[in-house]
Amino acid sequence: MSGLPAKRTATYEDLVKVPENLVGEIIDGELVTSPRPAARHAAAASSLGADIHTAFGRKSGGGPGGWVILIEPEVHVVGQVLVPDIAGWRRERMPEIPDVAFFDIAPDWVCEISSPATAAMDRTRKRHHYGRAGVGHVWILDPGPATLEVYRLDGDNWRLTLSVAGDVKVRAEPFEAVEIDLAEVWAR
């Protein structure tokens, strides 16, 4: 025996007590907090979220529609409480947005905007749990070096389908029907 007390599993009550200047999640039974997004992070999330919502989240947005797109939803899946920066559900799986504090339906797509405080968690533990929950696509967007990585769930593994850097225009699954100008997303 190590003589150390057993680590207590975090509860939703612990999450509710997290100060408003932090984002709280419960990952693998641990309360994980990170600072609220910095300006570049928030600008990238806002720009990308607006582009995707306009094309896919609105019936009259000029794009194909068919999605519910939300910024920082709280998602309770596979025993985790996760807060992706942006998430999307296909309308056939979520015909209407329910009036709830959190979602227990796994998104079909998530985008994590990397920052120094969240990059390791986004790429490892969170992406692992998104896969376990059946999220079909994960985007890792990093406004610092201006990179986008697009992953598709392929069985139990993530397949990198796109990796780009800089001011490029992309058609990235599952939203390849519309071109996204990353120069606008970086908001420099």
Side-chain angles (χ1 to χ4, degrees):
M1 286 197 81
S2 67
L4 296 174
K7 193 170 186 178
R8 183 177 75 79
T9 300
T11 66
Y12 198 75
E13 184 176 307
D14 297 324
L15 194 62
V16 171
K17 293 177 184 175
V18 170
E20 288 186 21
N21 64 321
L22 298 174
V23 175
E25 300 174 288
I26 299 175
I27 303 173
D28 300 321
E30 174 187 357
L31 178 64
V32 177
T33 61
S34 56
R36 283 269 166 213
R40 285 173 109 183
H41 180 287
S46 297
S47 179
L48 181 63
D51 286 350
I52 292 175
H53 177 73
T54 298
F56 293 91
R58 293 185 185 162
K59 293 180 179 157
S60 62
W67 288 75
V68 170
I69 306 295
L70 299 173
I71 302 289
E72 292 189 351
E74 185 174 306
V75 179
H76 293 211
V77 292
V78 295
Q80 313 301 309
V81 179
L82 306 171
V83 181
D85 292 300
I86 313 170
W89 290 260
R90 294 181 189 274
R91 282 271 180 201
E92 51 269 14
R93 292 190 54 241
M94 186 186 290
E96 292 186 11
I97 300 171
D99 187 14
V100 295
F102 60 84
F103 299 89
D104 57 10
I105 300 169
D108 295 292
W109 165 82
V110 298
C111 179
E112 293 290 356
I113 315 290
S114 281
S115 68
T118 65
M121 184 73 66
D122 292 343
R123 292 176 177 284
T124 59
R125 293 166 67 185
K126 286 181 77 172
R127 193 172 65 172
H128 167 75
H129 291 303
Y130 290 140
R132 288 184 49 225
V135 174
H137 293 86
V138 171
W139 290 13
I140 306 287
L141 186 80
D142 193 334
T147 60
L148 170 65
E149 295 172 357
V150 175
Y151 295 89
R152 177 187 333 126
L153 189 61
D154 188 5
D156 292 335
N157 299 303
W158 289 107
R159 178 189 298 171
L160 179 66
T161 63
L162 178 69
S163 179
V164 296
D167 295 346
V168 297
K169 294 179 181 178
V170 297
R171 290 185 180 269
E173 57 184 71
F175 303 114
E176 61 269 22
V178 173
E179 188 173 74
I180 297 169
D181 185 351
L182 292 177
E184 293 180 13
V185 172
W186 308 133
R188 298 194 190 281

